[in-house]
Coordinates of all heavy atoms in Angstrom, one line a residue:
M1 N 84.2 98.1 114.5 CA 84.7 97.3 113.5 C 83.9 96.0 113.3 O 83.6 95.7 112.1 CB 86.2 96.9 113.8 CG 86.8 96.0 112.9 SD 87.3 96.8 111.4 CE 88.2 95.6 110.5
L2 N 83.6 95.3 114.4 CA 82.8 94.1 114.2 C 81.3 94.4 113.8 O 80.7 93.6 113.1 CB 82.8 93.3 115.6 CG 84.1 92.7 115.9 CD1 84.0 92.0 117.3 CD2 84.5 91.7 114.9
N3 N 80.8 95.6 114.2 CA 79.5 96.0 113.8 C 79.4 96.2 112.3 O 78.4 95.9 111.6 CB 79.0 97.2 114.6 CG 78.6 96.8 116.0 OD1 78.2 95.7 116.3 ND2 78.7 97.8 116.9
K4 N 80.5 96.8 111.8 CA 80.5 97.1 110.3 C 80.6 95.8 109.5 O 79.9 95.7 108.5 CB 81.8 97.9 110.0 CG 81.9 98.4 108.6 CD 83.1 99.3 108.4 CE 83.1 99.8 107.0 NZ 84.3 100.6 106.7
L5 N 81.4 94.8 110.0 CA 81.4 93.5 109.3 C 80.1 92.8 109.4 O 79.7 92.1 108.5 CB 82.6 92.7 109.9 CG 84.0 93.1 109.5 CD1 85.0 92.3 110.2 CD2 84.2 93.1 108.0
K6 N 79.5 92.9 110.6 CA 78.2 92.2 110.8 C 77.1 92.8 109.9 O 76.3 92.1 109.3 CB 77.8 92.4 112.3 CG 76.5 91.7 112.6 CD 76.2 91.9 114.1 CE 74.7 92.1 114.3 NZ 74.4 92.4 115.7
N7 N 77.1 94.2 109.7 CA 76.2 94.8 108.8 C 76.5 94.4 107.4 O 75.5 94.2 106.6 CB 76.3 96.3 108.9 CG 75.6 96.8 110.2 OD1 74.7 96.1 110.8 ND2 76.0 98.0 110.7
R8 N 77.7 94.3 107.0 CA 78.0 93.9 105.6 C 77.6 92.4 105.4 O 77.3 92.0 104.2 CB 79.5 94.0 105.3 CG 80.0 95.5 105.2 CD 81.4 95.5 104.7 NE 81.5 95.2 103.3 CZ 81.7 96.1 102.4 NH1 81.9 97.4 102.7 NH2 81.8 95.7 101.1
L9 N 77.7 91.6 106.4 CA 77.3 90.2 106.3 C 75.8 90.0 106.2 O 75.4 89.2 105.4 CB 77.9 89.4 107.5 CG 77.6 87.9 107.5 CD1 78.4 87.2 106.4 CD2 78.1 87.4 108.9
I10 N 75.1 90.8 106.9 CA 73.6 90.6 107.0 C 72.9 91.4 105.9 O 71.9 90.9 105.3 CB 73.1 91.0 108.4 CG1 73.7 90.1 109.4 CG2 71.6 91.0 108.4 CD1 73.4 90.5 110.8
K11 N 73.3 92.6 105.6 CA 72.5 93.5 104.7 C 73.1 93.5 103.3 O 74.2 93.2 103.1 CB 72.5 94.9 105.3 CG 71.8 95.0 106.6 CD 71.8 96.4 107.1 CE 71.1 96.4 108.5 NZ 71.2 97.8 109.1
G12 N 72.2 93.9 102.4 CA 72.7 94.2 101.0 C 72.8 93.0 100.1 O 73.6 93.0 99.2
W13 N 72.1 91.9 100.4 CA 72.2 90.7 99.6 C 71.5 90.9 98.2 O 70.3 91.4 98.2 CB 71.6 89.5 100.3 CG 72.5 88.9 101.3 CD1 72.6 89.3 102.6 CD2 73.5 88.0 101.1 NE1 73.6 88.6 103.2 CE2 74.2 87.8 102.3 CE3 73.9 87.2 100.0 CZ2 75.2 86.9 102.5 CZ3 74.9 86.3 100.2 CH2 75.6 86.1 101.4
N14 N 72.1 90.6 97.1 CA 71.6 90.7 95.8 C 71.9 89.5 95.0 O 72.5 88.5 95.5 CB 72.1 92.0 95.1 CG 73.6 92.0 95.0 OD1 74.2 91.0 95.2 ND2 74.1 93.2 94.8
V15 N 71.5 89.4 93.8 CA 71.7 88.2 93.0 C 73.1 87.9 92.8 O 73.5 86.7 92.9 CB 71.0 88.4 91.6 CG1 71.3 87.3 90.7 CG2 69.5 88.7 91.7
M16 N 74.0 88.9 92.6 CA 75.4 88.6 92.4 C 76.1 88.0 93.6 O 76.9 87.1 93.5 CB 76.1 89.9 92.0 CG 77.5 89.7 91.5 SD 77.4 88.7 90.0 CE 79.0 87.9 90.0
R17 N 75.7 88.4 94.8 CA 76.2 87.8 96.0 C 75.8 86.3 96.1 O 76.6 85.5 96.5 CB 75.8 88.6 97.2 CG 76.6 89.9 97.4 CD 76.2 90.6 98.6 NE 76.7 90.0 99.9 CZ 76.5 90.5 101.1 NH1 75.8 91.6 101.2 NH2 77.0 89.9 102.1
F18 N 74.5 86.0 95.8 CA 74.1 84.6 95.8 C 74.8 83.8 94.8 O 75.1 82.6 95.0 CB 72.6 84.6 95.6 CG 71.8 84.9 96.8 CD1 71.0 86.1 96.8 CD2 71.8 84.2 98.0 CE1 70.3 86.4 98.0 CE2 71.1 84.5 99.1 CZ 70.3 85.6 99.1
I19 N 75.1 84.4 93.6 CA 75.8 83.6 92.6 C 77.3 83.3 93.1 O 77.8 82.2 92.9 CB 75.8 84.4 91.2 CG1 74.4 84.4 90.6 CG2 76.8 83.8 90.3 CD1 74.3 85.3 89.4
R20 N 77.9 84.3 93.7 CA 79.3 84.1 94.2 C 79.3 83.1 95.3 O 80.2 82.3 95.4 CB 79.8 85.4 94.7 CG 80.5 86.3 93.6 CD 81.2 87.4 94.3 NE 80.5 88.6 93.9 CZ 80.4 89.7 94.7 NH1 81.0 89.8 95.8 NH2 79.7 90.8 94.3
L21 N 78.2 83.1 96.2 CA 78.1 82.2 97.2 C 78.0 80.7 96.7 O 78.6 79.8 97.1 CB 77.0 82.5 98.2 CG 76.8 81.6 99.4 CD1 78.1 81.7 100.3 CD2 75.6 82.0 100.2
A22 N 77.1 80.6 95.7 CA 76.8 79.3 95.1 C 78.1 78.8 94.4 O 78.5 77.6 94.5 CB 75.7 79.3 94.1
L23 N 78.8 79.6 93.7 CA 80.0 79.3 93.0 C 81.1 78.9 94.0 O 81.8 77.9 93.8 CB 80.5 80.4 92.2 CG 81.8 80.2 91.3 CD1 81.5 79.1 90.3 CD2 82.2 81.4 90.6
A24 N 81.2 79.6 95.1 CA 82.2 79.3 96.2 C 81.9 77.9 96.8 O 82.8 77.1 97.0 CB 82.2 80.3 97.3
L25 N 80.6 77.6 97.1 CA 80.2 76.3 97.6 C 80.5 75.2 96.7 O 81.0 74.1 97.1 CB 78.8 76.3 98.1 CG 78.4 77.2 99.3 CD1 76.9 77.3 99.5 CD2 79.2 76.8 100.5
M26 N 80.3 75.4 95.4 CA 80.5 74.3 94.4 C 82.0 74.1 94.3 O 82.5 73.0 94.2 CB 79.9 74.7 93.0 CG 78.4 74.6 93.0 SD 77.6 74.9 91.4 CE 78.6 76.0 90.5
I27 N 82.8 75.2 94.3 CA 84.3 75.0 94.2 C 84.8 74.3 95.4 O 85.7 73.4 95.3 CB 85.0 76.4 93.9 CG1 84.6 76.9 92.6 CG2 86.5 76.3 94.1 CD1 85.1 78.3 92.3
I28 N 84.4 74.7 96.6 CA 84.9 74.1 97.8 C 84.4 72.6 97.9 O 85.2 71.7 98.3 CB 84.4 74.9 99.1 CG1 85.1 76.2 99.1 CG2 84.6 74.1 100.3 CD1 84.6 77.2 100.2
A29 N 83.2 72.3 97.4 CA 82.8 70.9 97.4 C 83.6 70.1 96.5 O 84.0 68.9 96.8 CB 81.3 70.8 97.0
H30 N 84.0 70.6 95.3 CA 84.8 69.9 94.4 C 86.3 69.8 95.0 O 86.9 68.7 94.8 CB 84.9 70.7 93.1 CG 85.8 70.1 92.1 ND1 85.6 68.9 91.4 CD2 87.1 70.5 91.6 CE1 86.6 68.6 90.6 NE2 87.5 69.6 90.7
A31 N 86.7 70.8 95.7 CA 88.1 70.7 96.3 C 88.1 69.6 97.3 O 89.1 68.9 97.4 CB 88.4 72.0 96.9
V32 N 87.0 69.4 98.1 CA 87.0 68.4 99.1 C 87.0 67.0 98.5 O 87.8 66.1 98.9 CB 85.8 68.6 100.0 CG1 85.6 67.4 101.0 CG2 86.0 69.9 100.9
T33 N 86.2 66.8 97.4 CA 86.2 65.5 96.8 C 87.4 65.2 96.0 O 87.8 64.0 95.9 CB 85.0 65.4 95.9 OG1 85.1 66.4 94.9 CG2 83.7 65.6 96.6
S34 N 88.1 66.2 95.5 CA 89.3 65.9 94.7 C 90.6 66.1 95.4 O 91.7 66.0 94.9 CB 89.3 66.6 93.4 OG 89.4 68.0 93.7
S35 N 90.6 66.6 96.7 CA 91.7 66.9 97.5 C 92.7 67.9 96.8 O 93.9 67.7 96.8 CB 92.5 65.6 97.9 OG 91.6 64.8 98.6
E36 N 92.2 69.0 96.3 CA 93.0 70.0 95.6 C 93.0 71.3 96.5 O 92.0 71.9 96.7 CB 92.4 70.3 94.3 CG 92.5 69.3 93.2 CD 93.9 69.1 92.7 OE1 94.7 70.1 92.8 OE2 94.2 68.0 92.3
I37 N 94.2 71.6 97.0 CA 94.3 72.8 97.9 C 94.1 74.1 97.1 O 93.6 75.1 97.7 CB 95.7 72.8 98.6 CG1 95.7 73.8 99.7 CG2 96.8 73.0 97.6 CD1 94.9 73.5 100.8
V38 N 94.4 74.1 95.8 CA 94.2 75.4 95.0 C 92.8 75.7 94.9 O 92.4 76.9 95.0 CB 94.9 75.2 93.6 CG1 94.6 76.4 92.7 CG2 96.3 74.9 93.7
F39 N 91.9 74.7 94.8 CA 90.5 75.0 94.7 C 89.9 75.4 96.0 O 89.0 76.2 96.1 CB 89.7 73.7 94.2 CG 89.9 73.5 92.7 CD1 90.4 72.3 92.3 CD2 89.7 74.5 91.8 CE1 90.6 72.0 90.9 CE2 89.8 74.3 90.4 CZ 90.3 73.0 90.0
V40 N 90.5 74.9 97.1 CA 90.1 75.4 98.4 C 90.3 76.9 98.6 O 89.5 77.6 99.1 CB 90.7 74.6 99.6 CG1 90.5 75.1 100.9 CG2 90.3 73.1 99.5
I41 N 91.5 77.3 98.2 CA 91.9 78.7 98.3 C 91.0 79.6 97.4 O 90.5 80.6 97.8 CB 93.4 78.9 97.9 CG1 94.3 78.2 98.9 CG2 93.7 80.4 97.8 CD1 95.7 78.1 98.6
L42 N 90.7 79.1 96.1 CA 89.9 79.8 95.2 C 88.4 79.9 95.8 O 87.8 80.9 95.7 CB 89.9 79.2 93.9 CG 89.1 79.8 92.7 CD1 89.7 81.2 92.4 CD2 89.1 79.0 91.5
G43 N 87.9 78.8 96.3 CA 86.6 78.8 96.9 C 86.5 79.7 98.1 O 85.5 80.3 98.3
G44 N 87.6 79.7 98.9 CA 87.6 80.6 100.0 C 87.6 82.0 99.6 O 86.9 82.9 100.3
L45 N 88.2 82.3 98.6 CA 88.2 83.7 98.1 C 86.8 84.1 97.6 O 86.4 85.2 98.0 CB 89.2 83.9 96.9 CG 89.4 85.3 96.3 CD1 89.9 86.2 97.3 CD2 90.2 85.2 95.1
F46 N 86.2 83.3 96.8 CA 84.8 83.6 96.4 C 83.9 83.6 97.6 O 82.9 84.4 97.7 CB 84.3 82.5 95.4 CG 84.8 82.8 94.0 CD1 85.6 81.9 93.4 CD2 84.5 84.0 93.4 CE1 86.0 82.1 92.1 CE2 84.9 84.2 92.1 CZ 85.7 83.3 91.4
M47 N 84.1 82.8 98.6 CA 83.2 82.8 99.8 C 83.4 84.1 100.6 O 82.4 84.7 101.0 CB 83.6 81.6 100.7 CG 82.8 81.5 102.0 SD 81.1 80.9 101.6 CE 81.4 79.2 101.4
F48 N 84.6 84.6 100.7 CA 84.9 85.8 101.4 C 84.2 87.0 100.6 O 83.6 87.8 101.2 CB 86.4 86.1 101.4 CG 86.8 87.4 102.0 CD1 86.7 87.7 103.4 CD2 87.2 88.5 101.2 CE1 87.0 88.9 103.9 CE2 87.5 89.7 101.7 CZ 87.4 89.9 103.0
Q49 N 84.3 87.0 99.3 CA 83.6 88.0 98.5 C 82.1 88.0 98.7 O 81.5 89.0 98.8 CB 84.0 87.8 97.0 CG 85.3 88.3 96.6 CD 85.5 88.2 95.1 OE1 85.0 87.2 94.5 NE2 86.1 89.2 94.5
A50 N 81.6 86.8 98.7 CA 80.1 86.7 98.8 C 79.6 87.1 100.2 O 78.6 87.8 100.3 CB 79.7 85.3 98.5
L51 N 80.3 86.6 101.2 CA 79.8 86.9 102.5 C 80.0 88.4 102.9 O 79.1 88.9 103.6 CB 80.5 86.0 103.6 CG 80.2 84.5 103.5 CD1 81.0 83.8 104.5 CD2 78.7 84.3 103.7
F52 N 81.1 89.0 102.6 CA 81.3 90.4 103.0 C 81.1 91.4 101.9 O 81.4 92.6 102.1 CB 82.7 90.5 103.6 CG 82.8 89.7 104.9 CD1 83.6 88.5 104.9 CD2 82.2 90.1 106.1 CE1 83.7 87.7 106.1 CE2 82.3 89.3 107.2 CZ 83.1 88.2 107.2
D53 N 80.6 91.0 100.8 CA 80.3 91.9 99.7 C 81.5 92.7 99.3 O 81.4 93.9 99.1 CB 79.1 92.7 100.0 CG 78.5 93.3 98.7 OD1 78.7 92.8 97.6 OD2 77.8 94.4 98.8
Y54 N 82.7 92.1 99.1 CA 83.9 92.7 98.6 C 84.2 92.3 97.2 O 83.8 91.2 96.8 CB 85.1 92.4 99.5 CG 85.1 93.1 100.8 CD1 85.0 92.5 102.0 CD2 85.4 94.5 100.9 CE1 85.0 93.1 103.2 CE2 85.4 95.2 102.0 CZ 85.2 94.5 103.2 OH 85.3 95.2 104.4
G55 N 84.9 93.1 96.5 CA 85.3 92.7 95.1 C 86.8 92.9 95.0 O 87.5 93.3 95.9
F56 N 87.3 92.5 93.9 CA 88.7 92.6 93.7 C 89.2 94.0 93.5 O 90.4 94.3 93.8 CB 89.1 91.8 92.4 CG 89.1 90.3 92.6 CD1 88.2 89.6 91.8 CD2 89.8 89.7 93.5 CE1 88.2 88.2 91.9 CE2 89.8 88.3 93.7 CZ 89.0 87.6 92.9
C57 N 88.4 94.9 93.0 CA 88.8 96.2 92.6 C 88.9 97.2 93.8 O 89.5 98.2 93.7 CB 87.9 96.8 91.6 SG 87.9 95.9 90.0
G58 N 88.3 96.9 94.9 CA 88.3 97.8 96.0 C 87.3 99.0 95.8 O 86.4 98.9 95.0
A59 N 87.5 100.0 96.5 CA 86.6 101.2 96.5 C 86.8 101.9 95.2 O 87.7 102.6 95.0 CB 86.8 102.1 97.7
A60 N 85.8 101.8 94.3 CA 85.8 102.5 93.0 C 87.1 102.2 92.2 O 87.6 103.0 91.4 CB 85.6 104.0 93.1
G61 N 87.7 101.0 92.4 CA 88.9 100.6 91.7 C 88.7 100.4 90.2 O 89.6 100.6 89.4
C62 N 87.5 100.0 89.8 CA 87.2 99.7 88.4 C 86.4 100.8 87.7 O 85.9 100.6 86.6 CB 86.5 98.4 88.3 SG 87.5 97.0 88.7
D63 N 86.3 101.9 88.4 CA 85.6 103.0 87.9 C 86.3 103.7 86.7 O 87.5 103.9 86.8 CB 85.3 104.1 89.0 CG 84.3 105.1 88.5 OD1 83.5 104.9 87.6 OD2 84.4 106.2 89.1
I64 N 85.6 104.0 85.7 CA 86.2 104.7 84.5 C 85.9 106.1 84.6 O 84.7 106.5 84.6 CB 85.7 104.1 83.2 CG1 86.0 102.6 83.1 CG2 86.2 104.8 82.0 CD1 85.4 101.9 81.9
T65 N 86.9 107.0 84.6 CA 86.7 108.4 84.7 C 86.6 109.0 83.3 O 87.3 108.6 82.4 CB 87.8 109.1 85.5 OG1 89.0 108.8 84.9 CG2 87.9 108.6 87.0
D66 N 85.8 110.1 83.2 CA 85.6 110.8 82.0 C 86.5 112.0 82.0 O 86.2 113.0 82.7 CB 84.2 111.1 81.8 CG 83.9 111.8 80.4 OD1 84.8 111.6 79.5 OD2 82.9 112.5 80.3
N67 N 87.6 112.0 81.3 CA 88.5 113.2 81.2 C 88.3 114.0 79.9 O 89.2 114.7 79.6 CB 89.9 112.7 81.3 CG 90.2 112.1 82.7 OD1 89.7 112.5 83.7 ND2 91.1 111.1 82.7
S68 N 87.2 113.8 79.3 CA 87.0 114.5 78.0 C 86.9 116.0 78.2 O 87.2 116.8 77.2 CB 85.8 114.0 77.3 OG 84.6 114.2 78.0
S69 N 86.5 116.5 79.4 CA 86.4 117.9 79.6 C 87.8 118.6 79.8 O 87.9 119.8 79.8 CB 85.5 118.2 80.7 OG 86.0 117.7 81.9
N70 N 88.8 117.8 80.1 CA 90.1 118.3 80.4 C 90.8 118.7 79.1 O 91.1 117.9 78.3 CB 90.9 117.3 81.2 CG 92.2 117.9 81.7 OD1 92.6 119.0 81.4 ND2 92.9 117.1 82.6
S71 N 91.1 120.0 78.9 CA 91.7 120.4 77.6 C 93.1 120.0 77.5 O 93.7 120.0 76.4 CB 91.5 122.0 77.5 OG 92.3 122.6 78.6
N72 N 93.8 119.7 78.6 CA 95.2 119.3 78.5 C 95.4 117.9 77.9 O 96.3 117.6 77.2 CB 95.9 119.3 79.9 CG 96.1 120.7 80.4 OD1 96.1 121.7 79.6 ND2 96.1 120.9 81.7
L73 N 94.4 117.0 78.1 CA 94.5 115.7 77.6 C 94.1 115.6 76.2 O 94.5 114.7 75.4 CB 93.6 114.8 78.5 CG 94.1 114.6 79.9 CD1 93.1 113.7 80.6 CD2 95.5 114.0 79.9
M74 N 93.2 116.4 75.7 CA 92.7 116.4 74.3 C 93.3 117.6 73.6 O 92.8 118.7 73.8 CB 91.2 116.4 74.3 CG 90.6 115.1 74.8 SD 88.8 115.0 74.6 CE 88.8 114.9 72.8
N75 N 94.2 117.4 72.8 CA 94.8 118.4 72.0 C 94.0 118.6 70.7 O 94.1 117.7 69.8 CB 96.3 118.2 71.7 CG 97.0 119.3 71.1 OD1 96.4 120.4 70.9 ND2 98.3 119.1 70.8
T76 N 93.3 119.6 70.5 CA 92.5 119.8 69.3 C 93.2 120.5 68.1 O 92.8 120.4 67.0 CB 91.2 120.6 69.6 OG1 91.5 121.8 70.2 CG2 90.3 119.8 70.6
E77 N 94.3 121.1 68.5 CA 95.1 121.8 67.4 C 96.0 120.8 66.8 O 96.7 120.0 67.4 CB 95.9 123.0 68.0 CG 95.0 124.1 68.6 CD 95.9 125.2 69.2 OE1 97.1 125.2 68.8 OE2 95.3 125.9 69.9
E78 N 96.1 120.8 65.4 CA 97.0 120.0 64.7 C 98.3 120.7 64.5 O 98.3 121.9 64.1 CB 96.4 119.6 63.4 CG 95.2 118.6 63.5 CD 94.8 118.2 62.1 OE1 95.6 118.2 61.2 OE2 93.6 117.8 62.0
E79 N 99.4 120.0 64.7 CA 100.7 120.6 64.5 C 101.2 120.1 63.1 O 101.0 119.0 62.7 CB 101.7 120.2 65.5 CG 101.3 120.7 66.9 CD 102.3 120.2 67.9 OE1 103.4 119.7 67.6 OE2 102.0 120.3 69.1
E80 N 101.9 121.0 62.4 CA 102.4 120.7 61.0 C 103.7 119.9 61.2 O 104.6 120.4 61.9 CB 102.6 121.9 60.2 CG 103.0 121.6 58.8 CD 103.1 122.9 57.9 OE1 102.4 123.8 58.2 OE2 103.9 122.9 57.0
T81 N 103.9 118.8 60.5 CA 105.1 118.0 60.6 C 105.9 118.3 59.4 O 105.4 118.3 58.3 CB 104.7 116.5 60.6 OG1 103.8 116.3 61.7 CG2 105.9 115.7 60.8
T82 N 107.2 118.5 59.6 CA 108.1 118.8 58.5 C 109.1 117.6 58.5 O 109.5 117.1 59.5 CB 108.9 120.1 58.7 OG1 109.6 120.1 60.0 CG2 107.9 121.3 58.7
F83 N 109.5 117.2 57.3 CA 110.5 116.1 57.1 C 111.7 116.7 56.4 O 111.6 117.5 55.5 CB 109.8 115.0 56.2 CG 108.7 114.4 56.9 CD1 107.4 114.7 56.5 CD2 108.8 113.4 57.8 CE1 106.3 114.2 57.1 CE2 107.8 112.8 58.4 CZ 106.5 113.2 58.0
N84 N 112.9 116.2 56.8 CA 114.1 116.5 56.2 C 114.7 115.3 55.5 O 114.6 114.2 56.1 CB 115.1 117.0 57.2 CG 114.7 118.3 57.9 OD1 114.0 119.1 57.2 ND2 115.0 118.5 59.1
D85 N 115.3 115.5 54.3 CA 115.9 114.4 53.6 C 117.3 114.1 54.2 O 118.1 115.0 54.3 CB 116.0 114.7 52.1 CG 114.7 114.7 51.4 OD1 113.8 114.0 51.9 OD2 114.5 115.3 50.4
V86 N 117.6 112.9 54.5 CA 118.9 112.5 55.0 C 119.6 111.7 53.9 O 119.0 110.7 53.4 CB 118.8 111.7 56.3 CG1 120.1 111.2 56.8 CG2 118.0 112.5 57.3
K87 N 120.8 112.2 53.5 CA 121.6 111.5 52.4 C 122.8 110.9 52.9 O 123.4 111.3 53.8 CB 121.8 112.4 51.3 CG 120.6 112.8 50.6 CD 120.9 113.7 49.4 CE 119.6 114.1 48.7 NZ 119.8 114.9 47.6

């Protein structure tokens, strides 16, 4: 477990992780100077995301699946609609 977290912390750094880390540090610095606990929590969340390369969506949580090949979801036949007069 600790080896997995250590590998996530050390490896796989990209531009987005550095942006999240910089944003977290700026938010935490602002929170310290203005004594706002909400910003400390928000900065901590961004810091956690940057350090361990986690996102809000989880494992493929934001993935969009293509269901166009499923014939049950796409009904290509048109049904005729009939109307009745109500008096």
Side-chain angles (χ1 to χ4, degrees):
M1 175 78 176
L2 289 176
N3 286 335
K4 186 177 179 181
L5 287 176
K6 182 178 145 185
N7 285 338
R8 288 187 77 106
L9 181 64
I10 295 172
K11 297 179 182 177
W13 282 88
N14 54 21
V15 175
M16 193 61 210
R17 281 181 78 177
F18 283 114
I19 291 172
R20 277 190 249 150
L21 183 63
L23 184 62
L25 291 174
M26 289 186 330
I27 291 172
I28 290 172
H30 177 71
V32 169
T33 59
S34 64
S35 301
E36 291 286 335
I37 190 70
V38 174
F39 287 125
V40 172
I41 294 169
L42 184 65
L45 181 65
F46 280 119
M47 182 73 76
F48 175 78
Q49 282 186 321
L51 291 177
F52 294 107
D53 199 22
Y54 282 111
F56 288 120
C57 294
C62 293
D63 190 25
I64 299 173
T65 58
D66 183 22
N67 293 329
S68 62
S69 63
N70 192 350
S71 63
N72 291 336
L73 293 177
M74 292 188 65
N75 189 4
T76 57
E77 296 179 18
E78 290 186 22
E79 296 180 14
E80 185 176 331
T81 305
T82 58
F83 296 99
N84 295 330
D85 289 335
V86 178
K87 294 183 181 183

